[in-house]
Amino acid sequence: MGEFDNKEREEVFSKKVRAGKRTYFFDVKATRSGDYYLTVTESKKRLEDGVFVKHKIFLYKEDFEKFTEGLNETVDYIKSHQDVVEKRYEYSENGEHSPKTSDDFSF
């Protein structure tokens, strides 16, 4: 595979979000024609063997609005029917994390 193949998936922007035992990656990539698309990857370490399991979805710009509407409606439903508390985590240099109880907040 040459340079042309790498250009098809050029990474433009990346955001890593650690959330407890999971890590989410939001990556903006460019096609050969310069169109951007989003990949969302969930990564979680399996306890039994230490292997990272990843799940990925691709979201194309023509679907952003409908996807966002559906996601917002779903999150709003959950928030209105149950208490949602997000834990803030501190990360040490060895990669371990623990929840910070003083920074928990509700949506």
Side-chain angles (χ1 to χ4, degrees):
M1 295 196 179
E3 185 178 338
F4 183 78
D5 293 324
N6 291 336
K7 180 70 174 166
E8 183 176 5
R9 296 183 184 184
E10 178 185 340
E11 192 168 292
V12 177
F13 175 82
S14 186
K15 174 72 178 171
K16 179 179 179 180
V17 177
R18 290 185 179 162
K21 296 179 180 180
R22 293 178 187 85
T23 302
Y24 298 97
F25 299 91
F26 299 90
D27 299 312
V28 177
K29 297 183 180 186
T31 64
R32 288 183 295 225
S33 62
D35 285 333
Y36 289 171
Y37 63 96
L38 170 67
T39 63
V40 180
T41 307
E42 175 207 33
S43 178
K44 184 177 179 182
K45 192 176 192 178
R46 269 195 315 228
L47 295 177
E48 54 274 5
D49 58 8
V51 172
F52 285 92
V53 178
K54 296 181 180 184
H55 299 97
K56 184 178 284 197
I57 64 167
F58 291 79
L59 185 61
Y60 300 95
K61 64 184 182 180
E62 60 267 20
D63 301 328
F64 287 172
E65 190 169 329
K66 291 291 185 184
F67 182 89
T68 303
E69 287 173 8
L71 178 61
N72 287 336
E73 184 177 334
T74 305
V75 170
D76 289 344
Y77 177 86
I78 294 170
K79 287 180 185 180
S80 69
H81 288 82
Q82 291 186 342
D83 291 335
V84 177
V85 177
E86 181 175 316
K87 295 180 180 174
R88 296 291 185 179
Y89 294 87
E90 286 191 8
Y91 293 90
S92 63
E93 290 183 13
N94 65 2
E96 293 182 15
H97 46 63
S98 60
K100 286 175 59 178
T101 55
S102 62
D103 275 351
D104 287 358
F105 63 92
S106 295
F107 282 89

